[in-house]
Amino acid sequence: MASPNDLQFQEFEEAADLLAADPGAPTLSMSASNPPTTTAGAAAAGEDVKLDLSEDEDAHEESSELLGGQKASGGFWTFEYYQSFFNVDTIQVLDRLKGSVMPLPGRNFIKHYLRNNPDLYGPFWICVTLVFSVAISGNLSNFIRGMEDPDYHYRPQFHRVTIAVVVIFMYAWLVPIGLWGFLTWRQGAERQMGAYSFLETVCVYGYSLFIYIPTSILWIIPFEWLQWTLILVAMVISGSVLVLTFWPVVREDTKVMAVATVVTIVVLHTLLAVGCKLYFFEAEDHPASPATTTPPPHPTVTVAVKPH
């Protein structure tokens, strides 16, 4: 059986023999805490020569950032800048959709669902889906209503798709821009006020429109009372998301400004819902077919001839 002395590494024995034979030979010492240093025996003062490993350290830090997901974003002209706005997975989007249709008192949509990671993926596709659902459902609703008239001829109204695009996307972008600018201005006037970022504001407005997608599909049912009931329920759910999100911010302002801001948010939201209902789902006035009548008989002219 081999003794522990027989298991020594031959390389270390050879190195010790060489160092004993030539004490001036250059050596390389490695330690865990200090960087590698080279001692040159040929140098007169015997000073240490340190290896520069800054490039390796930079590369190591770079790889650590990539592995950790802490990649710095580029300028707004780069693809990586906009890619960060769509950096969400399916579970996150579904969770935010669920939060937009089930608002609960005391639960802020930004704090509980966005968690400092707002996205544009969900709001963009919600707006696109809402455009087509409103336009297509409106055409189907008018077609069903017109089937009661035997002389009705269906004419698809493709121009309503363009109008839906303009109205919905303008609301989903211009209103958040105005609200974000107003809150930022008020934050400068009232120091105790907080504020959301522009992307968070757009994200909340985009997800708040999700409830109108199933509502617009149900608007196809040709019952006026049911359509107005659905729009009322949708407005309450969607408006609650906005009020519960922005009230904690505006309540730090003066009472008049806080109430005016919330009322403006609710009124604009109501105008969008009621406007879509009245324009896309209102019954059209179909011209009545002319009645078939018998023309009146021509008058008979009697000429009396006087005899001579």
Side-chain angles (χ1 to χ4, degrees):
M1 184 174 180
S3 63
N5 294 331
D6 296 337
L7 299 179
Q8 293 178 352
F9 291 101
Q10 297 298 325
E11 289 83 355
F12 292 120
E13 294 180 355
E14 294 178 359
D17 296 340
L18 292 175
L19 186 60
D22 188 6
T27 59
L28 180 64
S29 60
M30 301 289 293
S31 63
S33 58
N34 298 327
T37 57
T38 303
T39 306
E47 59 185 19
D48 294 341
V49 179
K50 296 183 179 180
L51 299 178
D52 187 7
L53 300 179
S54 58
E55 294 183 359
D56 294 338
E57 292 175 356
D58 294 341
H60 178 70
E61 292 177 359
E62 231 177 80
S63 62
S64 300
E65 289 181 356
L66 291 175
L67 293 175
Q70 305 294 330
K71 188 175 181 180
S73 59
F76 68 91
W77 60 87
T78 61
F79 178 75
E80 290 77 9
Y81 179 80
Y82 298 96
Q83 187 179 16
S84 61
F85 299 152
F86 296 84
N87 187 23
V88 288
D89 54 24
T90 305
I91 297 178
Q92 289 177 322
V93 173
L94 292 177
D95 186 54
R96 295 171 183 184
L97 292 178
K98 182 179 66 175
S100 68
V101 297
M102 292 189 301
L104 298 176
R107 176 163 293 188
N108 190 315
F109 187 84
I110 292 180
K111 302 298 183 183
H112 287 81
Y113 296 101
L114 299 188
R115 297 187 184 93
N116 296 325
N117 185 29
D119 69 286
L120 293 181
Y121 179 86
F124 173 77
W125 286 112
I126 288 173
C127 292
V128 171
T129 307
L130 183 60
V131 165
F132 286 100
S133 66
V134 167
I136 295 174
S137 300
N139 275 273
L140 290 176
S141 177
N142 292 329
F143 173 74
I144 294 174
R145 292 175 184 271
M147 290 177 62
E148 302 174 357
D149 187 0
D151 297 326
Y152 171 70
H153 298 284
Y154 173 70
R155 296 186 304 273
Q157 300 174 340
F158 295 107
H159 66 280
R160 292 193 172 186
V161 178
T162 305
I163 296 175
V165 170
V166 173
V167 172
I168 292 174
F169 274 91
M170 284 183 63
Y171 174 82
W173 281 93
L174 293 185
V175 174
I177 288 176
L179 180 60
W180 171 75
F182 174 77
L183 293 179
T184 303
W185 170 65
R186 293 302 300 173
Q187 184 186 19
E190 301 290 337
R191 298 298 180 182
Q192 69 272 18
M193 280 187 61
Y196 299 131
S197 66
F198 169 69
L199 191 58
E200 289 174 337
T201 307
V202 173
C203 189
V204 173
Y205 265 85
Y207 278 103
S208 69
L209 297 177
F210 172 72
I211 189 63
Y212 289 109
I213 296 177
T215 303
S216 62
I217 297 175
L218 293 176
W219 280 344
I220 299 177
I221 304 174
F223 294 107
E224 197 72 16
W225 64 269
L226 179 61
Q227 292 179 348
W228 284 108
T229 302
L230 291 173
I231 194 174
L232 181 62
V233 173
M235 285 191 303
V236 171
I237 294 176
S238 184
S240 299
V241 175
L242 298 177
V243 172
L244 293 175
T245 300
F246 291 102
W247 175 250
V249 175
V250 300
R251 70 182 177 184
E252 303 296 337
D253 203 346
T254 60
K255 186 176 181 180
V256 175
M257 295 301 297
V259 173
T261 303
V262 173
V263 170
T264 303
I265 292 174
V266 174
V267 169
L268 292 177
H269 207 64
T270 304
L271 289 177
L272 174 69
V274 176
C276 289
K277 166 64 178 66
L278 295 178
Y279 181 78
F280 293 98
F281 295 89
E282 192 66 19
E284 295 181 346
D285 295 330
H286 307 298
S289 57
T292 304
T293 57
T294 304
H298 297 286
T300 303
V301 179
T302 304
V303 180
V305 180
K306 185 178 182 182
H308 296 284

PDB file of all heavy atoms in Angstrom, residues 91-115:
ATOM      1  N   ILE A  91     -48.036  34.588 -18.798  1.00  0.00           N
ATOM      2  CA  ILE A  91     -48.598  34.560 -17.437  1.00  0.00           C
ATOM      3  C   ILE A  91     -48.802  35.974 -16.915  1.00  0.00           C
ATOM      4  O   ILE A  91     -49.830  36.290 -16.295  1.00  0.00           O
ATOM      5  CB  ILE A  91     -47.686  33.748 -16.511  1.00  0.00           C
ATOM      6  CG1 ILE A  91     -47.608  32.288 -16.979  1.00  0.00           C
ATOM      7  CG2 ILE A  91     -48.174  33.828 -15.075  1.00  0.00           C
ATOM      8  CD1 ILE A  91     -46.684  31.422 -16.152  1.00  0.00           C
ATOM      9  N   GLN A  92     -47.838  36.857 -17.166  1.00  0.00           N
ATOM     10  CA  GLN A  92     -47.975  38.235 -16.712  1.00  0.00           C
ATOM     11  C   GLN A  92     -49.130  38.940 -17.402  1.00  0.00           C
ATOM     12  O   GLN A  92     -49.908  39.669 -16.759  1.00  0.00           O
ATOM     13  CB  GLN A  92     -46.670  38.994 -16.965  1.00  0.00           C
ATOM     14  CG  GLN A  92     -45.527  38.580 -16.054  1.00  0.00           C
ATOM     15  CD  GLN A  92     -44.236  39.299 -16.397  1.00  0.00           C
ATOM     16  OE1 GLN A  92     -43.932  39.531 -17.567  1.00  0.00           O
ATOM     17  NE2 GLN A  92     -43.469  39.647 -15.387  1.00  0.00           N
ATOM     18  N   VAL A  93     -49.269  38.737 -18.710  1.00  0.00           N
ATOM     19  CA  VAL A  93     -50.348  39.389 -19.447  1.00  0.00           C
ATOM     20  C   VAL A  93     -51.706  38.877 -18.963  1.00  0.00           C
ATOM     21  O   VAL A  93     -52.648  39.662 -18.754  1.00  0.00           O
ATOM     22  CB  VAL A  93     -50.176  39.152 -20.958  1.00  0.00           C
ATOM     23  CG1 VAL A  93     -51.383  39.690 -21.729  1.00  0.00           C
ATOM     24  CG2 VAL A  93     -48.906  39.827 -21.462  1.00  0.00           C
ATOM     25  N   LEU A  94     -51.843  37.576 -18.771  1.00  0.00           N
ATOM     26  CA  LEU A  94     -53.108  37.019 -18.288  1.00  0.00           C
ATOM     27  C   LEU A  94     -53.437  37.528 -16.892  1.00  0.00           C
ATOM     28  O   LEU A  94     -54.608  37.797 -16.577  1.00  0.00           O
ATOM     29  CB  LEU A  94     -53.042  35.492 -18.297  1.00  0.00           C
ATOM     30  CG  LEU A  94     -52.984  34.815 -19.672  1.00  0.00           C
ATOM     31  CD1 LEU A  94     -52.853  33.309 -19.520  1.00  0.00           C
ATOM     32  CD2 LEU A  94     -54.219  35.162 -20.501  1.00  0.00           C
ATOM     33  N   ASP A  95     -52.427  37.677 -16.050  1.00  0.00           N
ATOM     34  CA  ASP A  95     -52.651  38.193 -14.707  1.00  0.00           C
ATOM     35  C   ASP A  95     -53.134  39.642 -14.755  1.00  0.00           C
ATOM     36  O   ASP A  95     -54.024  40.036 -13.988  1.00  0.00           O
ATOM     37  CB  ASP A  95     -51.363  38.073 -13.900  1.00  0.00           C
ATOM     38  CG  ASP A  95     -51.567  38.465 -12.443  1.00  0.00           C
ATOM     39  OD1 ASP A  95     -52.468  37.899 -11.798  1.00  0.00           O
ATOM     40  OD2 ASP A  95     -50.827  39.338 -11.951  1.00  0.00           O
ATOM     41  N   ARG A  96     -52.591  40.422 -15.665  1.00  0.00           N
ATOM     42  CA  ARG A  96     -53.017  41.816 -15.795  1.00  0.00           C
ATOM     43  C   ARG A  96     -54.407  41.928 -16.416  1.00  0.00           C
ATOM     44  O   ARG A  96     -55.181  42.819 -16.047  1.00  0.00           O
ATOM     45  CB  ARG A  96     -51.981  42.587 -16.619  1.00  0.00           C
ATOM     46  CG  ARG A  96     -50.643  42.674 -15.910  1.00  0.00           C
ATOM     47  CD  ARG A  96     -49.537  43.241 -16.768  1.00  0.00           C
ATOM     48  NE  ARG A  96     -48.268  43.213 -16.037  1.00  0.00           N
ATOM     49  CZ  ARG A  96     -47.128  43.712 -16.500  1.00  0.00           C
ATOM     50  NH1 ARG A  96     -47.078  44.255 -17.714  1.00  0.00           N
ATOM     51  NH2 ARG A  96     -46.025  43.650 -15.760  1.00  0.00           N
ATOM     52  N   LEU A  97     -54.731  41.037 -17.340  1.00  0.00           N
ATOM     53  CA  LEU A  97     -56.083  41.026 -17.895  1.00  0.00           C
ATOM     54  C   LEU A  97     -57.103  40.674 -16.812  1.00  0.00           C
ATOM     55  O   LEU A  97     -58.192  41.253 -16.753  1.00  0.00           O
ATOM     56  CB  LEU A  97     -56.173  40.025 -19.048  1.00  0.00           C
ATOM     57  CG  LEU A  97     -55.382  40.363 -20.318  1.00  0.00           C
ATOM     58  CD1 LEU A  97     -55.527  39.255 -21.342  1.00  0.00           C
ATOM     59  CD2 LEU A  97     -55.836  41.688 -20.910  1.00  0.00           C
ATOM     60  N   LYS A  98     -56.753  39.719 -15.967  1.00  0.00           N
ATOM     61  CA  LYS A  98     -57.646  39.352 -14.870  1.00  0.00           C
ATOM     62  C   LYS A  98     -57.824  40.523 -13.908  1.00  0.00           C
ATOM     63  O   LYS A  98     -58.936  40.762 -13.414  1.00  0.00           O
ATOM     64  CB  LYS A  98     -57.078  38.137 -14.142  1.00  0.00           C
ATOM     65  CG  LYS A  98     -57.950  37.640 -13.007  1.00  0.00           C
ATOM     66  CD  LYS A  98     -57.345  36.407 -12.347  1.00  0.00           C
ATOM     67  CE  LYS A  98     -56.048  36.755 -11.645  1.00  0.00           C
ATOM     68  NZ  LYS A  98     -55.486  35.603 -10.892  1.00  0.00           N
ATOM     69  N   GLY A  99     -56.757  41.237 -13.631  1.00  0.00           N
ATOM     70  CA  GLY A  99     -56.872  42.390 -12.745  1.00  0.00           C
ATOM     71  C   GLY A  99     -57.685  43.523 -13.336  1.00  0.00           C
ATOM     72  O   GLY A  99     -58.293  44.304 -12.605  1.00  0.00           O
ATOM     73  N   SER A 100     -57.731  43.636 -14.672  1.00  0.00           N
ATOM     74  CA  SER A 100     -58.487  44.717 -15.313  1.00  0.00           C
ATOM     75  C   SER A 100     -59.990  44.464 -15.317  1.00  0.00           C
ATOM     76  O   SER A 100     -60.757  45.408 -15.502  1.00  0.00           O
ATOM     77  CB  SER A 100     -58.000  44.908 -16.750  1.00  0.00           C
ATOM     78  OG  SER A 100     -58.334  43.786 -17.553  1.00  0.00           O
ATOM     79  N   VAL A 101     -60.422  43.218 -15.141  1.00  0.00           N
ATOM     80  CA  VAL A 101     -61.861  42.920 -15.117  1.00  0.00           C
ATOM     81  C   VAL A 101     -62.352  42.626 -13.710  1.00  0.00           C
ATOM     82  O   VAL A 101     -63.563  42.441 -13.510  1.00  0.00           O
ATOM     83  CB  VAL A 101     -62.186  41.719 -16.038  1.00  0.00           C
ATOM     84  CG1 VAL A 101     -61.863  42.046 -17.476  1.00  0.00           C
ATOM     85  CG2 VAL A 101     -61.441  40.463 -15.600  1.00  0.00           C
ATOM     86  N   MET A 102     -61.451  42.571 -12.741  1.00  0.00           N
ATOM     87  CA  MET A 102     -61.845  42.334 -11.356  1.00  0.00           C
ATOM     88  C   MET A 102     -61.183  43.356 -10.438  1.00  0.00           C
ATOM     89  O   MET A 102     -60.313  43.025  -9.623  1.00  0.00           O
ATOM     90  CB  MET A 102     -61.473  40.908 -10.930  1.00  0.00           C
ATOM     91  CG  MET A 102     -62.280  39.835 -11.625  1.00  0.00           C
ATOM     92  SD  MET A 102     -62.017  38.178 -10.923  1.00  0.00           S
ATOM     93  CE  MET A 102     -60.241  38.002 -11.151  1.00  0.00           C
ATOM     94  N   PRO A 103     -61.555  44.628 -10.563  1.00  0.00           N
ATOM     95  CA  PRO A 103     -60.969  45.643  -9.675  1.00  0.00           C
ATOM     96  C   PRO A 103     -61.495  45.480  -8.255  1.00  0.00           C
ATOM     97  O   PRO A 103     -62.691  45.273  -8.034  1.00  0.00           O
ATOM     98  CB  PRO A 103     -61.431  46.958 -10.310  1.00  0.00           C
ATOM     99  CG  PRO A 103     -62.700  46.606 -11.024  1.00  0.00           C
ATOM    100  CD  PRO A 103     -62.535  45.207 -11.507  1.00  0.00           C
ATOM    101  N   LEU A 104     -60.606  45.577  -7.299  1.00  0.00           N
ATOM    102  CA  LEU A 104     -60.972  45.436  -5.894  1.00  0.00           C
ATOM    103  C   LEU A 104     -60.580  46.710  -5.144  1.00  0.00           C
ATOM    104  O   LEU A 104     -59.524  47.299  -5.427  1.00  0.00           O
ATOM    105  CB  LEU A 104     -60.273  44.226  -5.265  1.00  0.00           C
ATOM    106  CG  LEU A 104     -60.627  42.867  -5.872  1.00  0.00           C
ATOM    107  CD1 LEU A 104     -59.785  41.770  -5.219  1.00  0.00           C
ATOM    108  CD2 LEU A 104     -62.107  42.562  -5.705  1.00  0.00           C
ATOM    109  N   PRO A 105     -61.388  47.166  -4.215  1.00  0.00           N
ATOM    110  CA  PRO A 105     -61.035  48.366  -3.435  1.00  0.00           C
ATOM    111  C   PRO A 105     -59.715  48.180  -2.706  1.00  0.00           C
ATOM    112  O   PRO A 105     -59.455  47.135  -2.104  1.00  0.00           O
ATOM    113  CB  PRO A 105     -62.214  48.505  -2.458  1.00  0.00           C
ATOM    114  CG  PRO A 105     -63.343  47.768  -3.105  1.00  0.00           C
ATOM    115  CD  PRO A 105     -62.712  46.636  -3.858  1.00  0.00           C
ATOM    116  N   GLY A 106     -58.895  49.190  -2.767  1.00  0.00           N
ATOM    117  CA  GLY A 106     -57.596  49.148  -2.110  1.00  0.00           C
ATOM    118  C   GLY A 106     -56.519  48.447  -2.897  1.00  0.00           C
ATOM    119  O   GLY A 106     -55.382  48.365  -2.428  1.00  0.00           O
ATOM    120  N   ARG A 107     -56.845  47.948  -4.082  1.00  0.00           N
ATOM    121  CA  ARG A 107     -55.839  47.259  -4.890  1.00  0.00           C
ATOM    122  C   ARG A 107     -55.493  48.132  -6.083  1.00  0.00           C
ATOM    123  O   ARG A 107     -56.286  48.300  -7.006  1.00  0.00           O
ATOM    124  CB  ARG A 107     -56.357  45.894  -5.344  1.00  0.00           C
ATOM    125  CG  ARG A 107     -55.404  45.159  -6.276  1.00  0.00           C
ATOM    126  CD  ARG A 107     -55.734  43.695  -6.385  1.00  0.00           C
ATOM    127  NE  ARG A 107     -55.500  42.995  -5.132  1.00  0.00           N
ATOM    128  CZ  ARG A 107     -55.569  41.673  -4.998  1.00  0.00           C
ATOM    129  NH1 ARG A 107     -55.884  40.915  -6.036  1.00  0.00           N
ATOM    130  NH2 ARG A 107     -55.342  41.111  -3.825  1.00  0.00           N
ATOM    131  N   ASN A 108     -54.315  48.690  -6.061  1.00  0.00           N
ATOM    132  CA  ASN A 108     -53.823  49.553  -7.127  1.00  0.00           C
ATOM    133  C   ASN A 108     -53.306  48.690  -8.279  1.00  0.00           C
ATOM    134  O   ASN A 108     -52.490  47.792  -8.079  1.00  0.00           O
ATOM    135  CB  ASN A 108     -52.702  50.455  -6.586  1.00  0.00           C
ATOM    136  CG  ASN A 108     -52.311  51.533  -7.555  1.00  0.00           C
ATOM    137  OD1 ASN A 108     -52.141  51.299  -8.738  1.00  0.00           O
ATOM    138  ND2 ASN A 108     -52.155  52.752  -7.046  1.00  0.00           N
ATOM    139  N   PHE A 109     -53.792  48.963  -9.494  1.00  0.00           N
ATOM    140  CA  PHE A 109     -53.409  48.140 -10.639  1.00  0.00           C
ATOM    141  C   PHE A 109     -51.907  48.213 -10.900  1.00  0.00           C
ATOM    142  O   PHE A 109     -51.272  47.200 -11.225  1.00  0.00           O
ATOM    143  CB  PHE A 109     -54.175  48.598 -11.877  1.00  0.00           C
ATOM    144  CG  PHE A 109     -53.974  47.717 -13.085  1.00  0.00           C
ATOM    145  CD1 PHE A 109     -54.735  46.570 -13.263  1.00  0.00           C
ATOM    146  CD2 PHE A 109     -53.015  48.023 -14.037  1.00  0.00           C
ATOM    147  CE1 PHE A 109     -54.546  45.749 -14.368  1.00  0.00           C
ATOM    148  CE2 PHE A 109     -52.816  47.212 -15.140  1.00  0.00           C
ATOM    149  CZ  PHE A 109     -53.583  46.068 -15.302  1.00  0.00           C
ATOM    150  N   ILE A 110     -51.327  49.384 -10.762  1.00  0.00           N
ATOM    151  CA  ILE A 110     -49.896  49.550 -11.028  1.00  0.00           C
ATOM    152  C   ILE A 110     -49.060  48.840  -9.961  1.00  0.00           C
ATOM    153  O   ILE A 110     -48.082  48.150 -10.269  1.00  0.00           O
ATOM    154  CB  ILE A 110     -49.532  51.045 -11.111  1.00  0.00           C
ATOM    155  CG1 ILE A 110     -50.156  51.665 -12.358  1.00  0.00           C
ATOM    156  CG2 ILE A 110     -48.025  51.251 -11.105  1.00  0.00           C
ATOM    157  CD1 ILE A 110     -49.867  53.137 -12.528  1.00  0.00           C
ATOM    158  N   LYS A 111     -49.438  48.979  -8.698  1.00  0.00           N
ATOM    159  CA  LYS A 111     -48.652  48.391  -7.619  1.00  0.00           C
ATOM    160  C   LYS A 111     -48.792  46.867  -7.554  1.00  0.00           C
ATOM    161  O   LYS A 111     -47.832  46.167  -7.238  1.00  0.00           O
ATOM    162  CB  LYS A 111     -49.068  49.000  -6.276  1.00  0.00           C
ATOM    163  CG  LYS A 111     -48.931  50.507  -6.206  1.00  0.00           C
ATOM    164  CD  LYS A 111     -47.499  50.955  -6.379  1.00  0.00           C
ATOM    165  CE  LYS A 111     -47.386  52.472  -6.239  1.00  0.00           C
ATOM    166  NZ  LYS A 111     -45.998  52.936  -6.473  1.00  0.00           N
ATOM    167  N   HIS A 112     -49.967  46.341  -7.866  1.00  0.00           N
ATOM    168  CA  HIS A 112     -50.227  44.918  -7.684  1.00  0.00           C
ATOM    169  C   HIS A 112     -49.988  44.086  -8.937  1.00  0.00           C
ATOM    170  O   HIS A 112     -49.721  42.886  -8.837  1.00  0.00           O
ATOM    171  CB  HIS A 112     -51.668  44.696  -7.202  1.00  0.00           C
ATOM    172  CG  HIS A 112     -51.897  45.090  -5.779  1.00  0.00           C
ATOM    173  ND1 HIS A 112     -52.104  46.401  -5.401  1.00  0.00           N
ATOM    174  CD2 HIS A 112     -51.946  44.359  -4.632  1.00  0.00           C
ATOM    175  CE1 HIS A 112     -52.276  46.454  -4.101  1.00  0.00           C
ATOM    176  NE2 HIS A 112     -52.192  45.236  -3.594  1.00  0.00           N
ATOM    177  N   TYR A 113     -50.094  44.707 -10.118  1.00  0.00           N
ATOM    178  CA  TYR A 113     -50.001  43.917 -11.349  1.00  0.00           C
ATOM    179  C   TYR A 113     -48.816  44.316 -12.229  1.00  0.00           C
ATOM    180  O   TYR A 113     -48.182  43.468 -12.838  1.00  0.00           O
ATOM    181  CB  TYR A 113     -51.303  44.037 -12.147  1.00  0.00           C
ATOM    182  CG  TYR A 113     -52.488  43.457 -11.422  1.00  0.00           C
ATOM    183  CD1 TYR A 113     -53.391  44.282 -10.767  1.00  0.00           C
ATOM    184  CD2 TYR A 113     -52.684  42.077 -11.364  1.00  0.00           C
ATOM    185  CE1 TYR A 113     -54.477  43.755 -10.087  1.00  0.00           C
ATOM    186  CE2 TYR A 113     -53.774  41.542 -10.688  1.00  0.00           C
ATOM    187  CZ  TYR A 113     -54.661  42.382 -10.049  1.00  0.00           C
ATOM    188  OH  TYR A 113     -55.737  41.846  -9.369  1.00  0.00           O
ATOM    189  N   LEU A 114     -48.527  45.608 -12.331  1.00  0.00           N
ATOM    190  CA  LEU A 114     -47.387  46.014 -13.168  1.00  0.00           C
ATOM    191  C   LEU A 114     -46.068  45.774 -12.454  1.00  0.00           C
ATOM    192  O   LEU A 114     -45.102  45.305 -13.061  1.00  0.00           O
ATOM    193  CB  LEU A 114     -47.527  47.486 -13.563  1.00  0.00           C
ATOM    194  CG  LEU A 114     -48.773  47.846 -14.377  1.00  0.00           C
ATOM    195  CD1 LEU A 114     -48.686  49.287 -14.855  1.00  0.00           C
ATOM    196  CD2 LEU A 114     -48.954  46.909 -15.555  1.00  0.00           C
ATOM    197  N   ARG A 115     -45.987  46.121 -11.185  1.00  0.00           N
ATOM    198  CA  ARG A 115     -44.795  45.875 -10.359  1.00  0.00           C
ATOM    199  C   ARG A 115     -43.517  46.404 -11.026  1.00  0.00           C
ATOM    200  O   ARG A 115     -42.543  45.688 -11.226  1.00  0.00           O
ATOM    201  CB  ARG A 115     -44.651  44.380 -10.065  1.00  0.00           C
ATOM    202  CG  ARG A 115     -45.783  43.788  -9.268  1.00  0.00           C
ATOM    203  CD  ARG A 115     -45.467  42.357  -8.870  1.00  0.00           C
ATOM    204  NE  ARG A 115     -46.585  41.728  -8.176  1.00  0.00           N
ATOM    205  CZ  ARG A 115     -47.520  41.008  -8.776  1.00  0.00           C
ATOM    206  NH1 ARG A 115     -47.471  40.830 -10.092  1.00  0.00           N
ATOM    207  NH2 ARG A 115     -48.491  40.460  -8.104  1.00  0.00           N
TER     208      ARG A 115
END
